[in-house]
């Protein structure tokens, strides 16, 4: 019996062979070349945290000539960085990448990006790292649902092993080292913190706890003063609280000045340049001078007009403002570089969820 | 009255039962196209039936079964972990999963995790592509999967034991006992599956750490012909599952997840002259517990209890015309650690008319009016036509409007849910071309689907995800199913294949949705000779985008996986079977979700005893 069936059948088979032959091996993937100099000594690292659970964190590098190189960690080391890169720190010749959901610290050479070691012992949900002497101090949430297991891990930089834990209250986040002490902002893990812990490095013990408003999100130190921006609890917690900016005298840990934001406003990302602080609110950049210390009603500039969709990372460094745009969290992000007048200078496409900038020079 | 069903059934006949059920050969000759019972659904779309013997030769998860035997695409977070479908390019919650006709998608997430369905609890699974909200309600947009306990009469007392064991301590035990007389039929099944699931990741030093799972399913079905006019059926199902979620990276915090679901259903069918009335009353409970740290007792949870009632009344004007009226009622009571306690009531009325104009032409029209002010009470419809143009060619046309209501999470997630969300709406049209000759059949379906008010959690200006109703998606594509069978002397050969080509674009960005492949191909070849049979299963999933900007560097590569199986039946009546399977025969290193490797080549054997 001859009939159209065979024609259609063979068409279908052809179609399926087409489907088979059209596999990913034929696809041209963009090549990620390494910088001509072969090293990363002069430029900016941009950390792309990647999607939570997807193990697609990566590092981009912007060289001095303004050329961007993506996925340098995996290009150099032929392995993935891990799951949700939270932050990075430099000490000596090394860079330490804190990979939150992997519960690891990846140690690389800061100039070649060659992998040196993976720190995984006594690391659970690490957030930030600071250094002093031959030690690194890493804030850890532990089990984020457990409010009693949070700590600073003390990393021996020679062995790359964690050698001690300093217990702290829930949700240790950003860290600052000043005058032999570590200042720990307790932003909160899955809960909401409202203190700054002061840790004595010599004795590895808690010296003081400075109460601030809910969710201390950013800290800077200038001229013996600690500035803390507390975002307040957002409305979706169904217990919304006010955001505040604190000026704390580090001589006596006294709050010398506190500015209160209007209800419903939740600023983030505190940065410093000379005599001015910068912060971010509703995707806009605000500034406040240290001398008169008054909140400004109007934004300094609005990066959304340049195409920023979700301002996720923010850094002020040597006369430039760096903004990381995470878009919808499931596409390649962008970085926008502004001068201190708020004029856009450059922008570059990076990888998934860029969150921070680190300057190698 | 009975004959109208019979006649409609026959007249629609194309692609009904393509092959008689030969039990000694492989899976897929038993995959045949079939029109569904008139009271449940349309005659103007195609349905694929996966029968008991197909179910036996596949692994126990619904993911695995449909992955190799249908056009449904799956993203699976590693073997046995969370698995979500994309049917005809739609999102995971746009596939309705039914249990004996009752929708069992989770009320909290709107979806079914296809690795929490143990197929050993059922003896028939129907795969129905395309929208069918008129018949199946909310969520039936991309397609519908119906898990069926089919009962037979007058078959006496039967017992069946199935046992399989494979690498990574993967094991399954399934016992089914049934008794039926001329008027009564009873079936009880207990199935247990588990695995250490600690497979090595191909081409790496790592193993799948913390991937252990186990689940138990108990199913019961009974049917009694009370008299010549009344039939009563009872169904019940209990599922309990526990999974550790395999860690994405070796040092990550280990987590686990448990499920406990129950379902029960009473169905009463009564024939009154030209009327047939059918009443179904069902209750379902669902509960999950997620332990964010396996070493801790702390968990988050949600439970939803539901009551579903469906009434249908069919009236036959003549042998060629059937008029039906229906009423549905659903009540959900939900609460959880993150969702506030809420009760919601949904009701709908259905009218449908089917008319067979001539021997070869039939049309049908159905309307469904939702009566729920909170969701705008949409009027849904389905209309279609079927024409047998020649002895070997049948054309079917269908268009429908379908919907999906927001889930408990979308509406009531504390602080983030939005009680003002609208339902998703989907307008569809499809053309099926069905060809059939003696030993072969082919169906080619082209479809178009426009989804409006897509429910989606997207980050706001504060970076926090909230549910929104803003996106629109345009989907179109081609679906094809091929079946061939040839017998030469006592050698039986069969081929079965499915192919799907799918474009599913966000209307605003014109980008393909993530985790929707352009191509998916499955094929199965079987050979049988006397007591021996063997089969080869093949799956090719095309590459998928994992980012909404469709960036090429984040594409997840296409992959091809094949399984090889052989079976030997002992005894004249072939009641004792021994089988071996090589899964991932070519040891392909592949992932169906980014950085979640699937197992390499592994071995499995089974015994099936009927007594």
């Amino acid at each position: 019996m001859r009939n159209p069936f065979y024609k259609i059948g063979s068409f279908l088979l052809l179609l399926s062979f087409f489907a088979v032959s059209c596999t990913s091996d034929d696809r041209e993937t963009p090549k990620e070349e390494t910088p001509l100099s072969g090293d990363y000594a002069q430029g900016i690292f941009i950390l792309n945290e990647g999607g939570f659970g997807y193990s697609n964190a990566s590092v981009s590098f912007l060289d001095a000539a303004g050329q961007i190189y993506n996925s340098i960690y995996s290009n150099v080391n032929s392995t993935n960085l891990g799951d949700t890169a939270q932050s990075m720190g430099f000490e000596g010749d090394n860079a330490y990448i804190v990979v939150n959901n992997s519960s690891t610290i990846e140690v690389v050479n800061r100039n070649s990006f060659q992998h040196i070691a993976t720190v995984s012992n006594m690391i659970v949900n690490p957030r930030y790292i600071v250094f002093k002497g031959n030690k690194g101090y890493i804030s850890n949430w532990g089990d984020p649902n457990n409010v009693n297991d949070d700590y600073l891990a003390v990393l021996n930089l020679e062995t790359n092993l964690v050698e001690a834990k300093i217990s702290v209250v829930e949700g240790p986040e950003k860290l600052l080292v000043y005058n032999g002490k570590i200042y720990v902002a307790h932003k909160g893990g899955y809960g909401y913190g409202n203190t700054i812990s002061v840790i004595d490095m010599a004795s590895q013990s808690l010296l003081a706890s400075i109460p601030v408003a809910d969710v201390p999100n950013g800290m800077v130190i200038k001229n013996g003063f600690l500035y803390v921006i507390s975002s307040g609890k957002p409305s979706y917690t169904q217990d919304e609280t006010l955001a505040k900016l604190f000026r704390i005298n580090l001589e006596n840990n006294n709050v010398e000045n506190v500015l209160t934001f209007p209800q419903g406003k939740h600023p983030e990302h505190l940065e410093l340049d000379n005599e001015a602080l910068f912060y971010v609110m509703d995707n806009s950049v605000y500034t406040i001078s240290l001398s008169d210390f008054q909140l400004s009603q109007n934004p300094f500039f609005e990066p959304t007009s340049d195409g920023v969709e979700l301002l996720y990372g923010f850094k002020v460094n040597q006369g430039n403002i760096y903004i990381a745009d995470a878009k919808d969290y499931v596409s390649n992000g962008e970085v926008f570089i502004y001068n201190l007048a708020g004029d856009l200078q450059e922008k570059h496409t990076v990888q998934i969820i860029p969150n921070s900038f680190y300057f190698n020079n | 009255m009975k004959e109208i069903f019979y006649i409609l059934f026959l007249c629609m006949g194309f692609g009904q039962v393509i092959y008689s059920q030969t039990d000694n050969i492989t899976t897929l000759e038993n995959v045949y196209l079939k029109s569904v019972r008139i009271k449940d659904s349309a005659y103007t779309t195609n349905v694929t039936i996966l029968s008991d013997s197909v179910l036996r030769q596949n692994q126990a998860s619904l993911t695995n079964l449909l992955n190799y035997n249908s056009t449904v695409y799956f993203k699976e977070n590693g073997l046995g972990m969370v698995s979500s479908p994309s049917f005809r390019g739609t999102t995971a919650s746009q596939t309705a999963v039914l249990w004996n006709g009752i929708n069992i998608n989770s009320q909290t997430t709107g979806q079914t995790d296809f690795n929490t369905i143990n197929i050993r609890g059922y003896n028939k699974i129907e795969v129905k592509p395309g929208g069918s909200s008129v018949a199946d309600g909310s969520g039936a947009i991309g397609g519908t999967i119906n898990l069926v306990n089919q009962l037979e009469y007058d078959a006496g007392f039967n017992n069946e034991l199935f046992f399989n064991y494979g690498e990574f301590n993967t094991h399954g035990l399934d016992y089914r006992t049934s008794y039926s007389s001329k008027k009564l039929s009873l079936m009880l099944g207990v199935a247990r599956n588990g695995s250490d699931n600690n497979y090595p990741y191909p081409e790496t030093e790592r193993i799948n750490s913390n991937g252990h799972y186990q689940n138990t399913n108990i199913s019961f079905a009974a049917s009694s012909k009370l008299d010549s006019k009344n039939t009563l059926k009872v169904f019940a199902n209990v599922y309990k599952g526990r999974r550790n979620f395999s860690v994405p990276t070796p040092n990550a915090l280990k987590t686990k997840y448990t499920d406990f679901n129950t379902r029960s259903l009473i169905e009463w069918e009564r024939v009154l002259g030209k009327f047939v009335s059918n009443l179904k009353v069902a209750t379902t409970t669902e509960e999950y517990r997620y332990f964010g740290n396996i070493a801790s007792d702390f968990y988050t949870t949600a439970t939803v209890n539901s009551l579903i009632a469906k009434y249908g009344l069919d009236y036959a004007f003549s042998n060629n015309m059937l008029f039906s009226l229906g009423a549905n009622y659903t009540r959900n009571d939900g609460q959880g650690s993150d969702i506030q306690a809420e009760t919601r009531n949904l009701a709908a009325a259905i009218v449908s008319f089917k008319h067979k104009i001539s021997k070869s032409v039939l049309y049908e029209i159905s309307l469904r009016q939702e009566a729920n002010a909170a969701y705008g009470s949409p009027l849904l419809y389905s209309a279609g036509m079927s024409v047998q143009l020649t002895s070997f060619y049948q054309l079917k046309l269908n268009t429908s409007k379908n919907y999906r209501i927001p889930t408990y999470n979308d509406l009531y997630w504390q602080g983030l849910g939005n009680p003002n969300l609208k339902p998703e709406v989907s307008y569809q049209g499809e053309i099926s071309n069905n060809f059939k000759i003696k030993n072969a059949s082919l169906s080619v379906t082209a479809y178009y689907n426009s989804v409006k008010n897509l429910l989606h959690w997207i980050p706001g200006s504060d970076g926090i995800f909230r549910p929104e109703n803003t996106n629109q998606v345009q989907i179109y594509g081609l679906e094809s199913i091929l079946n061939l069978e040839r017998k030469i002397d006592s050698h039986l050969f069969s081929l079965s294949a499915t192919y799907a080509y799918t474009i599913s674009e966000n209307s605003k960005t014109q980008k393909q949705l993530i985790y929707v492949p352009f191509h998916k191909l499955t094929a199965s070849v079987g050979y049988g000779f006397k007591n021996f049979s063997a089969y080869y299963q093949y799956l090719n999933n095309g590459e998928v985008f994992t980012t909404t900007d469709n960036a090429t560097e984040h594409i997840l590569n296409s992959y091809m996986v094949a399984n090889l199986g052989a079976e030997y039946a002992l005894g004249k009546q072939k009641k004792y079977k021994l089988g071996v399977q090589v899964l991932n025969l070519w040891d392909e290193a592949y992932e169906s979700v980014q950085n979640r490797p699937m197992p390499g080549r592994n071995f499995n054997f089974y015994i099936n005893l009927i007594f």
Side-chain angles (χ1 to χ4, degrees):
Chain A
M1 184 167 159
R2 292 197 175 275
N3 59 51
F5 169 75
Y6 286 108
K7 272 188 187 165
I8 288 162
S10 37
F11 170 72
L12 180 79
L13 276 178
L14 271 179
L15 205 66
S16 37
F17 285 126
F18 173 73
V20 174
S21 62
C22 193
T23 62
S24 305
D25 302 333
D26 303 336
R27 171 167 36 84
E28 285 194 19
T29 43
K31 285 211 171 81
E32 301 286 355
E33 291 164 12
T34 48
L36 280 177
S37 59
D39 67 39
Y40 302 91
Q42 295 290 321
I44 304 162
F45 296 113
I46 299 138
L47 200 56
N48 305 288
E49 68 181 48
F52 191 86
Y54 289 100
S55 308
N56 57 357
S58 67
V59 182
S60 299
F61 180 69
L62 181 62
D63 75 6
Q67 177 71 38
I68 194 98
Y69 302 93
N70 285 322
S71 301
I72 61 166
Y73 181 92
S74 54
N75 285 346
V76 171
N77 299 302
S78 301
T79 177
N80 286 344
L81 175 58
D83 188 358
T84 319
Q86 177 65 31
S87 64
M88 190 162 137
F90 296 124
E91 179 63 19
D93 288 338
N94 293 348
Y96 296 80
I97 308 167
V98 179
V99 192
N100 171 252
N101 202 35
S102 288
S103 286
T104 55
I105 315 296
E106 301 295 345
V107 187
V108 297
N109 180 291
R110 67 192 283 177
N111 297 326
S112 70
F113 239 67
Q114 294 276 355
H115 184 255
I116 295 167
T118 299
V119 181
S120 61
N121 76 309
M122 292 161 75
I123 297 290
V124 185
N125 268 309
R127 304 294 297 173
Y128 288 87
I129 186 167
V130 290
F131 306 92
K132 185 71 184 180
N134 64 347
K135 299 276 196 289
Y137 299 85
I138 303 149
S139 50
N140 284 264
W141 284 358
D143 172 358
N145 285 310
N146 183 342
V147 298
N148 297 316
D149 68 343
D150 303 51
Y151 61 97
L152 301 189
V154 182
L155 176 67
N156 182 321
L157 299 183
E158 277 147 29
T159 61
N160 286 318
L161 291 171
V162 174
E163 56 184 23
K165 280 184 181 183
I166 307 169
S167 284
V168 294
V169 297
E170 199 222 349
E173 188 80 354
K174 286 184 179 153
L175 306 170
L176 284 176
V177 173
Y178 180 77
N179 205 10
K181 303 181 189 79
I182 306 173
Y183 292 85
V184 185
H186 293 276
K187 181 181 170 184
Y190 286 4
Y192 305 92
N194 55 14
T195 55
I196 307 293
S197 290
V198 186
I199 309 274
D200 177 50
M201 291 173 124
S203 64
Q204 297 190 350
S205 62
L206 183 71
L207 284 180
S209 175
I210 308 170
V212 291
D214 289 326
V215 196
N217 180 286
M219 285 190 298
V220 294
I221 292 175
K222 175 82 175 179
N223 297 335
F225 286 97
L226 174 67
Y227 295 87
V228 177
I229 201 159
S230 282
S231 303
K233 287 194 206 172
S235 62
Y236 62 80
T237 63
Q238 300 181 314
D239 179 25
E240 192 170 8
T241 55
L242 294 176
K244 292 180 182 176
L245 178 61
F246 295 85
R247 172 152 60 185
I248 297 161
N249 187 337
L250 293 180
E251 291 285 308
N252 50 19
N253 294 338
N254 284 344
V255 174
E256 299 227 333
N257 208 337
V258 54
L259 304 176
T260 303
F261 288 83
Q263 181 144 22
K265 295 291 181 186
H266 299 286
E268 296 179 309
H269 299 291
L270 192 63
E271 289 289 318
L272 175 74
D273 183 81
N274 291 324
E275 293 302 312
L277 294 172
F278 293 83
Y279 58 89
V280 174
M281 205 159 68
D282 295 332
N283 278 330
S284 291
V285 177
Y286 290 75
T287 186
I288 174 171
S289 120
L290 291 182
S291 51
D292 55 314
F293 205 64
Q294 292 291 319
L295 289 181
S296 154
Q297 298 293 313
N298 299 312
F300 174 43
F301 69 98
E302 295 177 48
T304 46
S305 60
D306 297 313
V308 171
E309 292 173 39
L310 178 56
L311 200 167
Y312 195 71
F314 183 72
K315 184 77 188 169
V316 178
N317 184 67
Q318 296 185 349
N320 282 319
I321 298 171
Y322 297 82
I323 284 172
D325 178 5
K327 308 286 178 193
D328 60 354
Y329 294 136
V330 273
S331 50
N332 281 336
E334 282 186 293
V335 298
F336 294 72
I337 304 175
Y338 293 83
N339 64 18
L340 282 186
D343 303 319
L344 180 63
Q345 306 293 300
E346 300 170 37
K347 69 175 196 173
H348 302 278
T349 300
V350 288
Q351 297 286 287
I352 297 173
I353 317 184
N355 69 4
S356 49
F357 301 87
Y358 304 91
F359 302 87
N360 201 17
N361 44 36
Chain B
M1 182 56 214
K2 285 275 176 219
E3 73 254 63
I4 184 174
F5 292 110
Y6 184 62
I7 288 163
L8 278 167
F9 205 80
L10 272 190
C11 115
M12 289 308 84
F14 168 70
Q16 242 173 57
V17 182
I18 292 169
Y19 308 108
S20 61
Q21 196 137 335
T22 46
D23 209 23
N24 65 332
I25 197 167
T26 85
T27 55
L28 284 172
E29 97 274 15
N30 293 323
V31 180
Y32 45 79
L33 304 170
K34 177 178 174 274
S35 314
V36 213
R37 286 170 304 158
I38 193 159
K39 63 188 173 212
D40 267 14
S41 184
Y43 278 82
T44 54
T45 56
N46 287 334
V47 176
T48 303
I49 309 284
L50 303 169
S51 70
D52 204 18
S53 53
V54 179
L55 305 189
R56 282 276 183 252
Q57 281 174 328
N58 282 275
Q59 308 307 303
S61 74
L62 188 58
T63 302
N64 190 281
L65 174 77
L66 297 179
N67 217 351
Y68 283 96
N69 298 290
S70 78
T71 55
V72 185
Y73 165 81
F74 286 92
K75 55 183 284 220
E76 194 178 7
N77 249 0
L79 186 70
M81 301 296 108
V82 173
S83 163
S84 55
S86 170
F87 205 157
R88 280 195 175 173
T90 58
T91 63
S93 39
Q94 292 171 341
T95 296
V97 178
L98 311 180
W99 169 76
N100 293 306
I102 301 293
N103 192 317
I104 57 165
N105 278 18
S106 161
Q107 295 296 321
T108 52
T109 63
Q111 10 179 313
T112 292
D113 178 347
F114 279 60
N115 277 334
T116 64
I117 303 284
N118 183 333
I119 62 170
R120 306 275 183 245
Y122 313 97
N123 51 10
K124 188 173 97 172
I125 291 175
E126 297 169 348
V127 181
K128 187 163 63 171
S132 62
S133 283
V134 168
D136 301 324
S138 169
I141 291 179
T144 305
I145 312 294
N146 191 13
L147 313 168
V148 184
N149 292 111
Q150 199 170 30
L151 291 163
E152 52 182 6
Y153 288 101
D154 210 12
F157 185 52
N158 291 293
N159 287 285
E160 189 168 355
L161 185 71
F162 178 90
F163 171 73
N164 70 291
Y165 187 81
E167 279 184 75
F168 324 118
N169 193 27
T170 303
H171 55 276
L173 185 65
D174 172 19
Y175 173 68
R176 219 182 272 177
T177 181
S178 60
Y179 168 79
S180 66
S181 65
K182 280 188 175 154
K183 295 204 160 177
L184 179 70
S185 181
L186 296 165
M187 190 283 297
L188 176 70
V190 180
R192 188 171 167 82
N193 281 282
S195 176
D196 291 348
N197 207 22
N198 52 351
Y199 55 87
Y201 291 161
E203 300 173 2
T204 73
E205 304 288 298
R206 285 188 57 196
I207 63 158
N208 192 48
S209 165
N210 199 49
H212 171 268
Y213 65 85
Q214 62 185 53
N215 58 62
T216 306
N217 192 85
I218 300 171
S219 52
F220 171 77
S223 175
S224 170
K225 292 178 181 167
L226 301 175
D227 55 39
S228 61
K229 290 177 176 168
N230 292 282
T231 306
L232 192 67
K233 293 178 181 174
V234 177
F235 300 90
N237 196 89
V238 179
Y239 174 90
K240 191 173 195 307
R242 177 223 150 118
R243 277 180 296 179
N244 295 352
F245 283 154
S246 68
V247 288
T249 51
N251 202 43
L253 200 61
K254 293 181 168 72
T255 59
K256 76 172 178 184
Y257 191 88
T258 64
D259 290 278
F260 182 68
N261 302 321
T262 71
R263 294 153 203 154
S264 56
L265 165 66
I266 294 180
E267 183 178 351
W268 176 31
E269 188 172 282
R270 183 172 166 83
V271 181
L272 292 156
K274 287 191 165 187
F275 289 94
V276 177
S277 111
N278 183 287
L279 176 69
K280 290 179 175 176
V281 179
T283 60
T284 66
T285 69
E286 55 173 277
E287 183 201 65
Y288 77 82
R289 289 180 182 187
Y290 173 67
F291 295 77
N293 177 3
I294 205 167
S296 151
D297 292 333
F298 178 83
Y299 61 85
T300 52
T301 183
T303 57
V304 182
N305 299 334
S306 303
L307 170 71
I308 300 127
K310 284 186 171 185
Y311 181 73
L313 183 67
D314 293 345
Y315 175 73
F317 285 105
S318 71
N319 283 350
N320 296 324
M321 276 190 267
L322 185 78
F323 181 74
S324 312
L325 282 174
N328 286 4
Y329 170 73
T330 304
R331 174 191 167 91
N332 304 125
D333 283 299
Q335 59 180 321
S337 348
D338 297 302
I339 51 175
Q340 61 215 58
E342 284 288 342
T343 297
R344 70 178 178 194
N345 295 285
L346 303 166
I350 300 152
V351 182
S352 128
F353 182 66
K354 297 175 202 297
H355 184 193
K356 194 185 120 197
I357 298 171
S358 72
K359 257 189 169 173
S360 55
V361 181
L362 175 144
Y363 68 88
E364 57 184 353
I365 300 168
S366 307
L367 298 172
R368 175 181 176 123
Q369 175 65 56
E370 290 291 321
N372 187 311
Y375 308 114
S377 300
L379 174 69
L380 310 176
Y381 59 79
S382 167
M385 180 163 191
S386 146
V387 187
Q388 188 76 38
L389 286 168
T390 70
S391 62
F392 57 84
Y393 174 51
Q394 185 193 39
L395 178 70
K396 289 179 176 180
L397 303 168
N398 186 274
T399 179
S400 61
K401 179 184 174 187
N402 307 280
Y403 87 135
R404 182 171 81 86
I405 57 174
T407 65
Y408 263 73
N409 287 356
D410 297 334
L411 296 165
Y412 308 125
W413 193 274
Q414 289 190 350
L416 297 175
N418 178 357
N420 300 316
L421 291 168
K422 290 172 286 193
E424 289 174 350
V425 180
S426 150
Y427 297 90
Q428 307 191 6
E430 67 178 74
I431 303 172
S432 300
N433 300 279
N434 298 329
F435 304 90
K436 187 197 170 191
I437 55 164
K438 198 172 136 223
N439 291 321
S441 73
L442 171 70
S443 79
V444 180
T445 302
Y447 64 88
Y448 174 80
N449 181 3
S450 166
V451 183
K452 298 193 158 60
N453 306 335
L454 188 79
L455 288 162
H456 222 64
W457 286 62
I458 49 177
S461 65
D462 57 356
I464 302 295
F465 283 94
R466 287 184 181 79
E468 281 198 20
N469 244 163
T470 47
N471 281 348
Q472 292 191 17
V473 183
Q474 309 263 23
I475 310 170
Y476 54 93
L478 197 71
E479 236 168 31
S480 199
I481 301 177
L482 173 73
N483 286 290
L484 300 171
E485 193 184 64
R486 189 80 198 269
K487 194 168 186 182
I488 305 171
D489 301 329
S490 43
H491 301 272
L492 194 54
F493 299 91
S494 69
L495 167 70
S496 190
T498 73
Y499 170 72
Y501 175 73
T502 313
I503 300 287
S504 179
E505 280 179 359
N506 180 318
S507 305
K508 200 168 89 186
T509 64
Q510 307 268 300
K511 302 282 188 191
Q512 179 90 347
L513 296 198
I514 63 170
Y515 287 101
V516 176
F518 292 108
H519 305 281
K520 182 185 171 186
L521 173 73
T522 71
S524 184
V525 183
Y527 167 73
F529 176 69
K530 293 183 178 165
N531 289 17
F532 173 79
S533 66
Y535 70 95
Y536 179 76
Q537 274 183 330
Y538 172 84
L539 164 67
N540 185 333
N541 261 323
E543 60 188 29
V544 291
F545 295 112
T546 64
T547 56
T548 54
D549 56 354
N550 290 0
T552 52
E553 68 266 37
H554 303 301
I555 286 177
L556 186 60
N557 285 342
S558 66
Y559 56 88
M560 304 178 227
V561 202
N563 302 325
L564 180 66
E567 186 175 283
Y568 190 78
L570 297 165
K572 270 197 177 158
Q573 293 176 299
K574 299 176 181 171
K575 283 188 163 176
Y576 309 112
K577 288 178 190 165
L578 268 171
V580 290
Q581 292 170 321
V582 190
L583 306 176
N584 193 0
L585 178 69
W586 307 114
D587 207 16
E588 169 99 339
Y590 71 103
E591 294 165 351
S592 86
V593 171
Q594 202 180 23
N595 296 316
R596 294 289 194 162
M598 296 290 281
R601 183 187 303 124
N602 64 95
F603 295 86
N604 182 39
F605 79 91
Y606 62 85
I607 303 167
N608 194 11
L609 309 173
I610 299 171
F611 55 96

